[in-house]
Amino acid sequence: LRAALAVSPAVEGGVLVLKVLPGTLAADAGLRSGDVIARANGQPVASPRALHRAMLAARETRALVLRVERRGEGKEVRLAW
């Protein structure tokens, strides 16, 4: 997932998705450039490092649920591998 997604340093409310590579798990799940990832598996994402820690913690369950803010609306995005 990490190589499929480029994020910015923290912005208000989470981390900003800068780029999503086509054909990747992130793209297939519906993540888009401009999304703000606010939570990962229920935990706040205050920095790219926090997102990375959540991804590492999800290795065992092979699933990650992201709370994403897009144009002022929240949605959940589920990634499973």
Side-chain angles (χ1 to χ4, degrees), residues 5 7-17 36-55 64-68:
L5 191 65
V7 296
S8 74
V11 296
E12 185 176 337
V15 294
L16 177 66
V17 176
V36 175
I37 300 172
R39 300 183 81 75
N41 283 348
Q43 299 300 311
V45 175
S47 68
R49 180 169 287 214
L51 178 59
H52 181 68
R53 282 194 303 266
M55 290 187 294
L64 187 64
V65 177
L66 302 176
R67 175 68 179 180
V68 175

Side-chain angles (χ1 to χ4, degrees), residues 63-76:
L64 187 64
V65 177
L66 302 176
R67 175 68 179 180
V68 175
E69 301 295 325
R70 181 181 295 156
R71 296 187 191 121
E73 293 185 21
K75 71 179 275 179
E76 285 195 348

